[in-house]
Amino acid sequence: MSITEATSNSVEDSNTHTKNHLNLVKLYLAIGILVYALMMIAGVALRAAQGASYLDMNPQLFYQIMTLHGAGMVGVTGLAGLAVNWYFLSRHVLLSTKIFLSALLLSLIAVAMIIGSILIGKFAAGWTFLYPLPAKSLGIWSIASAVTFAAGLLVLGVAFLLVYLDMAIAISKKYGNLTRGLGLHMLFGRAPVDTSHPTTVVASSMVIIVNVAGIAVGAVVLIMTIANLISPAIAPDALLMKHLIYFFGHVFINASIYSAITAVYEILPKYTRRPWTVSKPFLAAWFAATFMVMAVYPHHLLMDFAMPPWAAIAGQIISYTSGIPVLVVTAFGGLTLVYRSGIRWDACSSLLVLGLFGWAAGVVPAVIDGMIRVNMVMHNTLWVPGHFHFYLILGMLPMVLGFAAYLTTNGEQGKSNKIPVYIYAAGGITLCMSFLVSGSLSIPRRFAVHQESWQWLGNVGAIAGTTVLVGTLLIALPILFRLPGATLSAAR
Amino acid sequence: MAVYAMNIVLSLSIALGLLAWRTSNFSSFTYETDRRNAVEARPVQLSDWQLQSSNGKTVYLSELSDQLLLVDFVYTRCPTICRALGSRYEQLQRVINSSGNTQITLLSISIDPIYDTPQQLNSYRKRHNGLKDTWQLARPITDHAFQTIISETGLRVIPDKFGGFTHSDTIHLIENRKLTKIKPWSSTDWENIILSGKNS
Amino acid sequence: MDILTLCNMASRRLNNWQLNELPAPSTARALLVFVIMVGITPAGAMWFESSMTTHMLVQLPLLIVLGAVCYQPKAQLNSFLTRIDPLGAIAFICYTGWMLFWMLPLNLDLATIEPSVRLLKLISVPIGIGCCFRWLWHQSNAVLKCVVVFETWASVTRLGWLYIESPLQLCSSYLIGEQQRVGTLLLVISGISATVAVFYSLFGSFNKKNDSTLAKSTSNG
């Protein structure tokens, strides 16, 4: 084969390769947006059921829908975050489309198992499958459905693991190892700070490290849950199980947000025409976040009297500080990037900045929940749903939608309508406030039936949730229609 | 590629099939449950066990086995499970007496035949307020007899670190010299069997 | 010398460690035959199976490792295997299946009681687990390798935890105290291997372009 032939072949290969990359990301996004919309309908139904004016729902169904909403939202958030991260990472390293596709297929199998266990098997123990609740159904759901749910989560974990391993290997091949991907050699002065080192690689390295650890713990704790379901005599320590479940769950959902940040790092500089490069504070922040994301989950256990006080205090301190490093670097970096840059405000840029705002402001309810005294009375109220809806509706999802908008306008600025973003943001803020106000009024979470004096907040939530849904559809429908025409290459 | 996919599916189903077969459709993962399931599926014909009863006489399984026999395995020095088994037999004996069912005999066989002389066996029964007519105690006198019982019932007896033994806490149902059921001592099936007079 | 350098050195050593540093297949084969023969003889079987620790943590790993090391198929067999299992998926199923099989307390018990099951163990463990692992390692890409290692690690952890937690005596041939000791040992193994894996993946040098010795050995292998 002559040299020219070889080159033209490889160019063709890389073209189809690139096309496959993009098509897969489109597939992820399309499925993701559809699932988001469906799960939002479920969420609106939950709030409406609590409001009791627009909807009357059997409590048993309520808990099934709550489990579905939780598992569905966590799953789709993971997938969407992964898609964003994968798209940008494949600009810097060589990732396998086959693995990305198999992960999607595996996820769909997992989703079928999870939905089946909830809708057919009536499993309703919440997506956190908090031990030993799955085994104590009082006859409402069968052991088999609880096992199917846990096995579904296990399959989902394997799907993510495949992609993370592929990413880890690709980063290691190009940069040497994961800590070099994270830029530790530059942080600790063994090499000068290389401003061409991609921010996405730093973020991806961190996400891989924490999430593989999370999935490893999940793989163990899910099998222990299944063992307990099959043989109730095997009853692991409940506090240890809770630690592991929340390590897995909290790391997973946190990592999804940190994955989506790559959209901000990669797209916002194009709008402001200023570079966003790595620096020592940036690297230090991501290095610190690697540990903190893994250590922050104990705020779920501050109410457990069996926890030793020192552990609770450590949990509070880490809850306080965990959000800060990357947040400060990113929010501050984002602001300095946008300030007087002459940025064009369209759907994409405003969604990304909204995402930054949600991520930054979401720290406030989080830190309040992380205080032991407050946590003791507030953790079982709607304050906590308020806290994570803040992060997810105003932080994570806008970043994903902003990325989708960027993709479908093929990077052209000022082409997308930003009115739906206002609708979305207004609905999102109202919804989160309806939760937070409920929480501060000590309205318990996970209650199917609400007292009459609480019901107006449920109604506000339902209306606000509908607004979010409308906003999402207004943003997403044009995206879905234009998605097939997107051509912006994913691979290098 | 299609052939390969088919081969993968084939080998997966073979592997799952073998595991399912080995575990009786994923129901028995331990030796103890396997032993129970196996007996339930296929009763075991027993040979004529030679035993020494607590009155010192030699008895054979065939002499006892014209009725339903509930058999447990104990050793009289046992500080733990054999006491529970003894109390359980005391309970079952009360059920037998109140039901008037004379077709049922309880039998405790010692797994420590060297220490458990007829005197020891008698005092074990006395400790549990047992009556001679419906509760027999016996020990295998020869090593061969002991090994036969072990191999036919699949019982596992392993010495613990305190000079005692760890062994199964199950009760065995023997009808016409056939082992037909193995269940935990705590199972309420035993009451049902006594009251109905037959293996349900 | 700081901690980063130390980690780097340790993982570089690990990374440079090649399969050809393993003992020769012929030595391994002789050792395997020896271990199998010892496993068959009553005295040897008694020694290996007298305690759960020697049974599970000495005999089985020995059989697996020796089976994997001595695996060296002839060209004919190799081409046959390449044809029927190019990606190592069937080997993966075989490996997982036999691992599961021998993780069941039932089979461990039966191996101590029934000579036929003991023989099955002595044959299926080196071939079904050891050789299959080697084949799978040879054929599959890096991601699948990692998944296999990950799942094996997770299973060791799960098993260890189950052995410690279970109030039931899972193996009728072994005392519950022994079961808990094996559980603890399994967790220790899991902890050590997790630490090694974390250090290896975080600090190991995978940048093959800059490492001429590695590049050479990969092209050979």
Side-chain angles (χ1 to χ4, degrees):
Chain A
M1 191 189 286
S2 72
I3 293 172
T4 41
E5 231 176 323
T7 341
S8 71
N9 262 358
S10 75
V11 165
E12 214 164 273
D13 278 357
S14 91
N15 276 343
T16 38
H17 194 65
T18 312
K19 220 170 154 190
N20 287 343
H21 271 69
L22 183 61
N23 284 341
L24 267 174
V25 172
K26 287 183 197 169
L27 195 59
Y28 265 79
L29 277 182
I31 293 175
I33 287 172
L34 287 176
V35 178
Y36 262 125
L38 285 175
M39 291 301 128
M40 279 179 185
I41 295 173
V44 167
L46 294 176
R47 280 312 257 155
Q50 289 172 334
S53 302
Y54 310 117
L55 189 66
D56 187 27
M57 198 191 279
N58 173 358
Q60 194 174 314
L61 183 65
F62 179 92
Y63 289 111
Q64 275 171 254
I65 302 282
M66 189 187 82
T67 307
L68 182 70
H69 178 76
M73 279 300 193
V74 169
V76 71
T77 299
L79 282 178
L82 190 70
V84 176
N85 195 350
W86 193 86
Y87 176 88
F88 287 115
L89 187 61
S90 61
R91 287 185 169 181
H92 307 292
V93 298
L94 188 65
L95 296 177
S96 156
T97 46
K98 266 186 203 154
I99 287 189
F100 199 43
L101 180 64
S102 5
L104 184 62
L105 295 178
L106 267 181
S107 310
L108 292 181
I109 294 173
V111 166
M113 290 167 81
I114 290 170
I115 291 181
S117 72
I118 294 171
L119 294 186
I120 301 170
K122 296 192 171 19
F123 180 76
W127 88 269
T128 49
F129 60 96
L130 202 54
Y131 169 83
L133 187 58
K136 314 275 181 206
S137 73
L138 300 176
I140 291 174
W141 63 83
S142 64
I143 294 297
S145 69
V147 170
T148 313
F149 183 85
L153 286 183
L154 204 60
V155 174
L156 194 65
V158 173
F160 279 88
L161 181 69
L162 284 176
V163 182
Y164 286 130
L165 290 175
D166 185 38
M167 287 177 167
I169 291 165
I171 289 179
S172 301
K173 270 192 185 146
K174 182 157 181 193
Y175 297 96
N177 57 38
L178 278 179
T179 47
R180 290 179 75 89
L182 200 56
L184 291 197
H185 57 301
M186 297 186 262
L187 177 62
F188 291 113
R190 315 174 116 243
V193 175
D194 173 11
T195 47
S196 69
H197 189 75
T199 46
T200 298
V201 171
V202 177
S204 307
S205 301
M206 176 271 191
V207 167
I208 291 164
I209 293 170
V210 299
N211 229 358
V212 170
I215 291 170
V217 167
V220 172
V221 81
L222 279 164
I223 289 287
M224 290 307 279
T225 303
I226 291 176
N228 167 258
L229 284 165
I230 292 173
S231 164
I234 296 171
D237 184 272
L239 192 62
L240 181 56
M241 288 291 276
K242 193 171 179 184
H243 269 278
L244 297 184
I245 287 173
Y246 277 113
F247 180 85
F248 164 58
H250 206 274
V251 163
F252 186 85
I253 195 69
N254 253 7
S256 307
I257 308 179
Y258 283 79
S259 304
I261 297 288
T262 51
V264 179
Y265 288 157
E266 294 267 358
I267 302 172
L268 215 51
K270 292 191 194 313
Y271 272 83
T272 59
R273 290 175 296 277
R274 290 169 177 172
W276 195 334
T277 54
V278 298
S279 57
K280 276 207 175 184
F282 181 91
L283 294 172
W286 280 90
F287 178 55
T290 310
F291 293 99
M292 285 172 167
V293 165
M294 288 195 278
V296 71
Y297 75 90
H299 62 257
H300 288 279
L301 291 104
L302 295 180
M303 293 188 311
D304 289 78
F305 58 85
M307 278 273 280
W310 64 264
I313 291 166
Q316 163 161 349
I317 293 170
I318 294 166
S319 287
Y320 262 63
T321 47
S322 77
I324 311 292
V326 174
L327 178 82
V328 167
V329 164
T330 307
F332 188 72
L335 282 179
T336 48
L337 207 66
V338 172
Y339 182 67
R340 291 206 167 175
S341 67
I343 185 173
R344 281 184 95 155
W345 292 107
D346 58 9
C348 171
S349 56
S350 40
L351 277 167
L352 290 177
V353 172
L354 173 65
L356 269 185
F357 158 75
W359 197 39
V363 163
V364 176
V367 162
I368 291 175
D369 177 59
M371 290 151 80
I372 299 173
R373 296 308 307 173
V374 179
N375 190 289
M376 301 272 262
V377 286
M378 296 258 277
H379 195 73
N380 271 346
T381 68
L382 284 172
W383 184 271
V384 172
H387 138 65
F388 60 72
H389 278 90
F390 208 114
Y391 269 135
L392 294 175
I393 292 185
L394 296 173
M396 161 78 195
L397 187 53
M399 291 180 197
V400 174
L401 289 174
F403 165 69
Y406 161 78
L407 212 57
T408 50
T409 51
N410 290 324
E412 256 185 273
Q413 298 172 8
K415 287 275 170 186
S416 48
N417 190 354
K418 57 181 192 277
I419 305 294
V421 182
Y422 296 143
I423 299 175
Y424 177 92
I429 291 173
T430 319
L431 176 63
C432 293
M433 289 319 285
S434 91
F435 276 126
L436 292 174
V437 170
S438 302
S440 57
L441 295 176
S442 293
I443 301 177
R445 69 198 270 213
R446 301 196 188 110
F447 269 33
V449 181
H450 274 193
Q451 259 182 33
E452 228 166 272
S453 58
W454 305 340
Q455 285 171 352
W456 68 274
L457 279 161
N459 288 331
V460 171
I463 294 166
T466 314
T467 318
V468 173
L469 178 64
V470 169
T472 308
L473 289 179
L474 286 178
I475 299 168
L477 286 178
I479 288 177
L480 282 177
F481 286 125
R482 274 192 244 136
L483 205 51
T487 54
L488 219 52
S489 81
R492 293 170 292 177
Chain B
M1 208 58 209
V3 177
Y4 188 40
M6 248 166 60
N7 281 343
I8 291 175
V9 172
L10 190 68
S11 49
L12 193 62
S13 26
I14 291 175
L16 279 176
L18 282 176
L19 281 174
W21 168 75
R22 176 82 268 182
T23 57
S24 321
N25 291 328
F26 301 109
S27 63
S28 51
F29 298 111
T30 61
Y31 177 77
E32 201 50 39
T33 47
D34 187 56
R35 191 166 78 97
R36 289 175 208 171
N37 291 342
V39 162
E40 207 117 324
R42 225 174 316 111
V44 179
Q45 183 68 49
L46 302 170
S47 58
D48 205 3
W49 297 349
Q50 187 195 0
L51 302 162
Q52 184 189 35
S53 113
S54 58
N55 56 21
K57 284 184 194 148
T58 302
V59 286
Y60 288 90
L61 187 63
S62 53
E63 294 168 27
L64 299 165
S65 200
D66 53 337
Q67 4 188 307
L68 288 182
L69 262 185
L70 303 193
V71 182
D72 69 357
F73 295 90
V74 296
Y75 64 103
T76 58
R77 286 175 299 149
C78 171
T80 54
I81 193 65
C82 306
R83 296 195 174 192
L85 283 165
S87 307
R88 181 66 175 143
Y89 263 22
E90 184 185 345
Q91 245 176 22
L92 290 179
Q93 201 171 27
R94 253 184 271 133
V95 178
I96 293 174
N97 289 341
S98 64
S99 74
N101 187 343
T102 55
Q103 294 303 304
I104 292 192
T105 305
L106 305 176
L107 173 63
S108 296
I109 297 179
S110 169
I111 51 170
D112 186 13
I114 297 170
Y115 180 84
D116 288 339
T117 57
Q119 290 80 5
Q120 293 290 350
L121 293 174
N122 273 324
S123 75
Y124 173 79
R125 179 167 52 200
K126 205 178 271 168
R127 279 208 298 278
H128 293 290
N129 309 315
L131 304 168
K132 272 185 194 162
D133 51 347
T134 44
W135 186 354
Q136 301 250 8
L137 282 109
R139 62 168 173 173
I141 244 187
T142 61
D143 197 40
H144 173 73
F146 191 25
Q147 289 312 321
T148 310
I149 292 172
I150 296 271
S151 69
E152 286 181 356
T153 56
L155 190 75
R156 298 294 290 161
V157 176
I158 44 174
D160 65 19
K161 302 222 166 85
F162 313 102
F165 302 93
T166 294
H167 61 97
S168 170
D169 57 354
T170 44
I171 297 177
H172 306 62
L173 178 69
I174 298 179
E175 305 171 83
N176 302 321
R177 261 175 65 198
K178 260 193 189 153
L179 180 59
T180 54
K181 197 190 215 26
I182 304 177
K183 279 262 155 128
W185 61 278
S186 51
S187 165
T188 51
D189 278 14
W190 300 119
E191 269 90 352
N192 296 335
I193 289 171
I194 291 169
L195 293 174
S196 67
K198 59 179 190 293
N199 183 5
S200 47
Chain C
M1 193 186 294
D2 62 315
I3 182 97
L4 265 176
T5 325
L6 270 178
C7 294
N8 254 320
M9 274 170 57
S11 47
R12 192 168 283 270
R13 176 77 199 100
L14 204 63
N15 207 31
N16 287 341
W17 190 77
Q18 288 291 310
L19 280 180
N20 53 25
E21 287 184 42
L22 291 170
S26 53
T27 324
R29 206 169 301 142
L31 272 172
L32 180 60
V33 169
F34 176 72
V35 171
I36 291 177
M37 294 318 282
V38 170
I40 292 174
T41 55
M46 184 101 128
W47 184 81
F48 272 132
E49 292 160 12
S50 62
S51 94
M52 201 173 179
T53 319
T54 48
H55 198 179
M56 268 194 74
L57 299 179
V58 178
Q59 191 185 30
L60 293 180
L62 258 181
L63 290 172
I64 295 173
V65 170
L66 290 176
V69 174
C70 81
Y71 172 78
Q72 195 189 39
K74 297 218 164 57
Q76 251 177 330
L77 180 60
N78 213 9
S79 65
F80 171 73
L81 286 177
T82 317
R83 204 171 61 243
I84 63 160
D85 193 17
L87 300 178
I90 295 174
F92 177 71
I93 292 166
C94 192
Y95 167 80
T96 319
W98 281 115
M99 282 285 265
L100 272 176
F101 186 90
W102 290 112
M103 270 184 208
L104 293 179
L106 165 65
N107 294 317
L108 205 65
D109 266 338
L110 286 178
T112 67
I113 305 165
E114 285 185 22
S116 59
V117 181
R118 178 176 298 135
L119 194 66
L120 179 70
K121 175 186 76 183
L122 293 172
I123 294 168
S124 70
V125 171
I127 297 175
I129 301 178
C131 296
C132 280
F133 180 79
R134 190 72 183 278
W135 176 255
L136 148 82
W137 200 256
H138 191 251
Q139 293 304 108
S140 57
N141 66 16
V143 173
L144 285 180
K145 279 181 196 170
C146 291
V147 171
V148 172
V149 170
F150 183 92
E151 268 306 311
T152 308
W153 170 84
S155 300
V156 167
T157 314
R158 293 159 183 161
L159 203 62
W161 194 2
L162 273 177
Y163 278 3
I164 291 175
E165 280 299 336
S166 173
L168 307 170
Q169 178 197 359
L170 292 171
C171 280
S172 298
S173 306
Y174 301 111
L175 296 171
I176 193 161
E178 182 141 30
Q179 173 180 316
Q180 287 166 349
R181 192 169 68 227
V182 171
T184 314
L185 284 173
L186 283 172
L187 285 190
V188 168
I189 292 171
S190 134
I192 293 173
S193 52
T195 315
V196 170
V198 165
F199 273 84
Y200 183 55
S201 52
L202 288 187
F203 301 105
S205 172
F206 300 91
N207 209 343
K208 307 220 162 154
K209 262 181 277 173
N210 305 338
D211 199 326
S212 56
T213 51
L214 262 180
K216 215 167 70 189
S217 55
T218 359
S219 64
N220 287 344

